[in-house]
Amino acid sequence: MKKNTLILAGALLALVAAYFIFVHQWNGPDNVFQIEDSSEVGRIELERFDLGKSKAKIDLKKGIEGEWTVNEVYTANQPKVQDFLLTLTQIRVLKPIEQKAQASSLSILKRNHTRVKIYDRDGSEMRDYLIGGTNSQQTANIFKMDFSDRTYLVSKPALDGYVSIFYTTALNIWRENLIFNIEGKDLTSISMAYADSVHSFDLRHSPQGWLVGEGMQADQNRVDSYLELFKGKVFAESFAGKANPGMLDSLKRRVPSVEMRLQTEKEKLALLLFSRPENANNFFGYIEGTDELLTVQQFVIGQFLKTRDFFVQNPLP
């Protein structure tokens, strides 16, 4: 009998443990919005509601090696995410909203808010709260736990302003503006097709070394110096996402100033660039197969825009 009782007690403990691991949601104090240890965070969801309707959502996920992604599509801006994680530990309740103002603050939150859901690395919910507008001094925001009807003013110590700026749902703020991430040693072919075709080249690696054009041997020293320019990540100045489809459609009907194609054993990339007469310091462009307009600065991309002559001239001294 005693043995059966112990078995039953063990089973009940296991069920309780399973509940807290897989089912339990944060129902702690309704005024503890901060988390203690940001290293425990594995996922953050931010969803903005305007007039009660969902308008934008950001889903930040931590990978196995600690890298963060955005909406399961883009590499996240890692420093931005780390700053945000620090903010999640630093926010504090400034004071409860007065009882007479509770109803109005709840009404404001219902119409316009950002919902914040934070999960640990195992997927268990750590926090679920709503952020609304600011106080009249613009030093704090209205916060409330999703399970509670009690509202608070929350701020970040030493911050001269409100905290909602850290909880943006603008994709371009969270994503890394990466065009490509390629090392020179991994390239197997590089081509540049210019509007003025006399400057175009097609550089390909072969058992005989690097060839430029149809079977012409490229100068190896010049190829080596060119490949050294490819050192990993190259970033756009900005991505417009799908915010300016008219401009992108217009570009797709034009001949690009240069079409840059890169190939490794694992990937291919085609970047189409368009000169801007009004601004010679950067290009408009897009990556083939995507619907995102980008801008990239001349000093970032210009170093790769060599011409055919570079590879067939006399060897470098």
Side-chain angles (χ1 to χ4, degrees), residues 3-167:
K3 182 178 179 181
N4 290 337
T5 302
L6 288 173
I7 292 173
L8 179 61
L12 287 172
L13 285 172
L15 286 172
V16 171
Y19 169 80
F20 277 95
I21 292 173
F22 298 109
V23 180
H24 178 66
Q25 295 182 333
W26 170 257
N27 284 303
D30 71 354
N31 62 346
V32 181
F33 298 94
Q34 75 275 11
I35 58 174
E36 298 302 320
D37 185 357
S38 63
S39 68
E40 295 179 357
V41 178
R43 183 177 183 181
I44 306 167
E45 294 178 351
L46 306 173
E47 187 169 9
R48 178 171 58 85
F49 290 83
D50 293 341
L51 300 178
K53 295 183 178 180
S54 177
K55 294 296 184 180
K57 187 173 182 179
I58 293 294
D59 186 358
L60 300 170
K61 284 186 178 179
K62 190 176 185 178
I64 296 174
E65 297 182 1
E67 76 287 356
W68 288 81
T69 59
V70 186
N71 294 353
E72 299 187 271
V73 175
Y74 306 105
T75 301
N77 182 327
Q78 306 300 315
K80 168 67 178 174
V81 174
Q82 294 305 317
D83 286 345
F84 183 49
L85 290 170
L86 181 60
T87 295
L88 295 179
T89 69
Q90 292 176 330
I91 58 173
R92 292 292 186 274
V93 168
L94 189 63
K95 62 179 180 179
I97 290 178
E98 295 180 4
Q99 189 60 42
K100 62 181 181 181
Q102 284 287 327
S104 61
S105 64
L106 284 170
S107 177
I108 291 170
L109 272 175
K110 184 177 180 180
R111 292 195 303 272
N112 301 304
H113 65 266
T114 296
R115 186 172 184 179
V116 182
K117 300 183 77 172
I118 305 171
Y119 303 88
D120 67 17
R121 289 171 293 181
D122 296 321
S124 296
E125 186 178 281
M126 298 174 71
R127 297 291 188 277
D128 183 357
Y129 56 84
L130 277 60
I131 305 175
T134 67
N135 59 353
S136 57
Q137 296 81 24
Q138 294 193 333
T139 57
N141 285 89
I142 301 171
F143 274 54
K144 90 168 188 72
M145 289 294 181
D146 182 65
F147 64 80
S148 172
D149 287 331
R150 181 73 174 167
T151 58
Y152 297 86
L153 286 177
V154 175
S155 65
K156 180 178 176 180
L159 175 68
D160 185 18
Y162 44 88
V163 297
S164 56
I165 57 173
F166 297 102
Y167 295 82

Side-chain angles (χ1 to χ4, degrees), residues 179 192-195 237 246-261 270-290 292-298 301-302 305:
I179 300 177
M192 298 289 168
Y194 294 97
E237 183 178 15
M247 171 67 77
L248 185 59
D249 289 342
S250 175
L251 291 180
K252 288 185 175 182
R253 292 192 294 268
R254 291 166 48 189
V255 175
S257 302
V258 57
E259 184 175 319
M260 177 181 186
R261 291 185 176 272
L271 174 64
L272 288 80
L273 299 171
F274 300 81
S275 299
R276 301 178 62 183
E278 79 283 3
N279 186 351
N281 293 323
N282 63 23
F283 293 90
F284 281 133
Y286 64 92
I287 298 171
E288 189 175 72
T290 71
E292 290 191 290
L293 176 70
L294 63 84
T295 59
V296 59
Q297 293 180 318
Q298 166 70 34
I301 203 69
L305 305 183

Side-chain angles (χ1 to χ4, degrees), residues 127 190 234 280:
R127 297 291 188 277
I190 309 160
V234 172

